[in-house]
Amino acid sequence: MSQTRAIPKRVRTTESPAVRRLLIGLALVFMGLFLVLPLAAVFVEALKAGWSAYWDALKEPDALAAIRLTLITAAIAVPLNLVFGVAAAWCIAKFEFRGKAFLTTLIDLPFSVSPVVAGLIYVLVFGAQGWLGPWLAEHDIKIIFAVPGIVLATVFVTFPFIARELIPLMQAQGSDEEQAAQVLGASGWQTFWHVTLPNIKWGLIYGVILCNARAMGEFGAVSVVSGHIRGQTNTMPLHVEILYNEYQAQAAFAVASLLALLAIVTLLIKTVVEWKHARELQAAAELPPERPHDSASNKAPALAH
Amino acid sequence: MMTTASLAVPSTPAAPRRRAARRVLPGFNITLGYTLLYLSLVVLIPLSALLLKTFAMTWAEFWAAVSAPRVLAAFRLSFGASLLAAGANVVAGLLVAWVLVRYSFPGKKIVDALVDLPFALPTAVAGIALTAILADNGWIGQWLAPLGIQLAFNPKGIVIALIFIGLPFVVRTVQPVLEDTEKELEEAAACLGATRGQTFRHVIFPAIAPALLTGFAMAFARGVGEYGSVIFIAGNMPMVSEIVPLIIIGKLEQYDYAGATAVASMMLLVSFVMLLVINGLQAWQRRRHGA
């Protein structure tokens, strides 16, 4: 009698299986309707008229020019923001100074500015009516409705991506290891290259691929400064818009499918990066506390003994 | 972290030696200098062009541009649709985050990766894909059209596009907080006789409320400025389904730079306010977790 009473009543800290299944079902239906269906629609619409029509849409000279311009834009914007992101993260995460919180907020600013406003501000600086307009016209330099404007607008909208990924990561890691390297006589570059970079590499890769995806896919800001000259100032997203508005839906979706593939690859790389990062953290946690940073790359130090 | 930093700074002028000792790492001046230079060139100077252009207008000009009925209708639509979408995202985002953190089911990793799709998929692609699905001959639209329901080419379509765009903001802010909540508290509540519903309302919900609000604010801020995914599905009828960013584009196409600037400066103001709100919410969340 007393024994049965001693057995505690089962404490419920999760939902009943029925509720659990219902919630999982609801979440999957929502994700399916809002995320999977649009993604699938892009590829189905692109291949509606068969593979040859698909290739024709991609081989068209204007489409090729748009692809080239998109690649050029990303190839300029991403490295610029990469250098900035590392520099900003270094001074914000490793040093204390007045106004740091304010500086961090300013770096985030382009995230909250509407893409259309981002395009507009460059028109106000470089456009015909803008601050530098007359001077640029005099020297025959075209920025708005030309490639430089597209690159500038892209740099603006992708500005915070890498810095934002690196700052919290480097803050969490502190600067003990870098200080140790300095005491041991390493130069600044050596310290960064051999101590900091290996520690932040996953965050860096993650930031770069997100920055790249946004750079290649930006629409609103680029649309304001581009001028939509076919074959010259059309990026891939703008080319998709033009085709779509000309009722060439199949061709529009064909070009869009390349951008959708880019998104899928981005998500794949992101998942792999997170997975690798988690594995490294786990490996580090299993090491003895007196050598917490021996990574797997240090080739089995136990064998030396 | 910020508070300890700001506490440490006032003490340094009195002890300059200590300050020098703390900066053993090189590269402070050059990285800070480069950061400020690049920030000024890319962000601050172009943004100040917008502000200066706005201040060069007379109050009457500014007011006329901002308070035109068509512009006011666009503001009402942009704010209304963004609020609705952000609200829907709080419910859907909490559901998705909850399922991903608390339960295990086949394909969970794929679902988790898929949450970021709206970040990775170019907005124009999302726009035409959603339109293709919801148009009268689309996969979903063809079933709704006979019922007299039209989701594309009207404000409903705008809300749907903004739900798509805003989802990851809520999921990705709530998910880590939900992972960190202490299971012990829930067990204690259950031991004390609370039902699962009571535990959720009084134990779990207060812990994740700041994150939910942050996600809501982020989704709202993004929604107000969103352009690419919306214009294809909106129908873009003046006074009915024309969003604020489209008003700016329209004014630019008519070479009405002053009008475009006035409307854009209002949007910039909203961005600033939302940025401050989000920062405040995140600070609140950090304090909650620190305590």
Side-chain angles (χ1 to χ4, degrees):
Chain A
M1 254 297 258
S2 61
Q3 243 181 343
T4 41
R5 221 193 276 161
I7 293 170
K9 207 179 93 202
R10 210 173 129 256
V11 170
R12 276 176 53 193
T13 52
T14 185
E15 287 69 41
S16 66
V19 174
R20 222 179 306 166
R21 247 171 268 147
L22 176 74
L23 290 179
I24 293 174
L26 278 176
L28 290 182
V29 167
F30 176 83
M31 296 273 292
L33 282 178
F34 272 84
L35 301 180
V36 180
L37 217 52
L39 192 60
V42 173
F43 293 101
V44 171
E45 296 282 333
L47 294 170
K48 224 175 195 169
W51 282 97
S52 66
Y54 180 78
W55 288 123
D56 287 346
L58 296 183
K59 276 192 312 204
E60 200 234 346
D62 288 347
L64 288 178
I67 293 170
R68 199 162 47 233
L69 181 56
T70 293
L71 292 177
I72 291 172
T73 306
I76 300 172
V78 174
L80 278 177
N81 284 335
L82 172 62
V83 172
F84 160 73
V86 171
W90 182 266
C91 69
I92 287 174
K94 304 286 182 195
F95 300 94
E96 298 302 334
F97 56 93
R98 223 178 270 263
K100 194 157 97 163
F102 184 60
L103 179 62
T104 317
T105 307
L106 282 182
I107 290 175
D108 274 348
L109 193 56
F111 267 151
S112 46
V113 172
S114 169
V116 171
V117 177
L120 172 70
I121 59 177
Y122 286 101
V123 173
L124 292 179
V125 174
F126 298 107
Q129 316 279 319
W131 280 357
L132 300 175
W135 186 86
L136 290 170
E138 212 172 279
H139 292 80
D140 201 26
I141 304 171
K142 280 208 79 159
I143 289 184
I144 299 303
F145 304 145
V147 175
I150 292 173
V151 173
L152 278 172
T154 307
V155 168
F156 181 94
V157 292
T158 56
F159 182 84
F161 276 88
I162 296 170
R164 220 213 200 165
E165 213 51 58
L166 290 183
I167 291 169
L169 184 65
M170 278 165 75
Q171 270 175 339
Q173 284 171 346
S175 51
D176 293 353
E177 291 179 43
E178 282 85 356
Q179 284 175 2
Q182 289 288 301
V183 170
L184 293 172
S187 73
W189 266 118
Q190 284 174 321
T191 306
F192 174 75
W193 209 250
H194 296 290
V195 178
T196 310
L197 201 58
N199 278 337
I200 60 169
K201 69 173 176 237
W202 296 124
L204 197 71
I205 294 171
Y206 186 35
V208 166
I209 57 160
L210 281 183
C211 182
N212 179 63
R214 182 70 194 267
M216 289 189 172
E218 176 52 28
F219 179 72
V222 169
S223 156
V224 174
V225 296
S226 135
H228 305 272
I229 308 162
R230 288 183 84 139
Q232 283 179 42
T233 62
N234 259 352
T235 61
M236 284 165 78
L238 296 177
H239 192 61
V240 169
E241 182 200 19
I242 287 189
L243 290 172
Y244 191 81
N245 287 340
E246 287 173 354
Y247 299 101
Q248 302 187 49
Q250 185 269 329
F253 277 104
V255 179
S257 72
L258 291 184
L259 292 167
L261 274 180
L262 168 76
I264 293 171
V265 170
T266 302
L267 293 183
L268 269 179
I269 297 177
K270 174 185 174 280
T271 307
V272 170
V273 163
E274 278 175 350
W275 180 65
K276 289 227 169 188
H277 186 55
R279 271 222 324 199
E280 267 182 23
L281 283 183
Q282 201 187 350
E286 279 163 7
L287 284 167
E290 65 270 18
R291 272 204 324 262
H293 289 288
D294 258 347
S295 67
S297 60
N298 281 9
K299 283 149 212 133
L303 286 179
H305 296 280
Chain B
M1 204 171 269
M2 285 294 131
T3 47
T4 53
S6 53
L7 282 178
V9 168
S11 70
T12 38
R17 242 220 214 128
R18 208 175 139 236
R19 181 176 190 163
R22 288 183 74 193
R23 288 201 177 146
V24 275
L25 294 181
F28 174 69
N29 289 332
I30 188 166
T31 52
L32 182 65
Y34 182 73
T35 301
L36 292 176
L37 177 74
Y38 190 74
L39 179 73
S40 306
L41 285 178
V42 174
V43 179
L44 299 181
I45 292 174
L47 275 179
S48 63
L50 180 77
L51 294 181
L52 287 179
K53 178 110 181 153
T54 310
F55 289 132
M57 297 169 79
T58 68
W59 178 248
E61 282 173 324
F62 179 80
W63 189 246
V66 173
S67 69
R70 195 169 154 186
V71 178
L72 285 182
F75 271 112
R76 252 194 313 272
L77 174 68
S78 278
F79 286 131
S82 302
L83 275 176
L84 274 178
N89 272 329
V90 166
V91 179
L94 175 59
L95 174 70
V96 172
W98 179 270
V99 164
L100 285 175
V101 172
R102 291 298 174 98
Y103 308 146
S104 61
F105 53 93
K108 183 168 140 171
K109 282 231 165 94
I110 299 173
V111 174
D112 192 25
L114 210 59
V115 168
D116 283 326
L117 180 71
F119 281 157
L121 192 70
T123 52
V125 178
I128 61 170
L130 287 170
T131 312
I133 292 173
L134 294 175
D136 283 347
N137 57 355
W139 288 348
I140 294 181
Q142 60 178 319
W143 302 106
L144 297 178
L147 306 173
I149 303 171
Q150 226 199 355
L151 295 181
F153 313 120
N154 59 38
K156 287 178 207 130
I158 300 178
V159 175
I160 289 171
L162 294 181
I163 291 175
F164 174 89
I165 289 298
L167 178 73
F169 290 99
V170 179
V171 178
R172 293 302 185 220
T173 43
V174 173
Q175 212 174 359
V177 180
L178 211 48
E179 269 162 7
D180 284 348
T181 52
E182 290 167 63
K183 268 256 170 187
E184 289 84 351
L185 289 179
E186 289 171 46
E187 280 162 19
C191 288
L192 292 171
T195 64
R196 200 57 194 151
Q198 285 172 323
T199 308
F200 182 81
R201 230 169 348 148
H202 298 294
V203 178
I204 303 172
F205 187 74
I208 57 173
L212 273 176
L213 258 178
T214 308
F216 176 85
M218 286 174 155
F220 173 77
R222 175 71 199 265
V224 171
E226 178 57 23
Y227 177 70
S229 61
V230 172
I231 51 154
F232 294 100
I233 205 168
N236 305 328
M237 277 171 294
M239 303 298 295
V240 179
S241 58
E242 193 180 36
I243 53 170
V244 181
L246 190 64
I247 294 266
I248 297 175
I249 298 250
K251 284 185 184 290
L252 273 178
E253 278 169 359
Q254 293 159 9
Y255 301 103
D256 178 9
Y257 287 95
T261 306
V263 177
S265 67
M266 290 297 292
M267 290 206 70
L268 196 62
L269 184 70
V270 174
S271 309
F272 274 125
V273 171
M274 288 313 296
L275 194 63
L276 291 179
V277 168
I278 291 168
N279 270 356
L281 283 170
Q282 281 172 335
W284 178 38
Q285 194 180 321
R286 270 199 301 272
R287 273 203 305 278
R288 266 282 181 89
H289 269 249

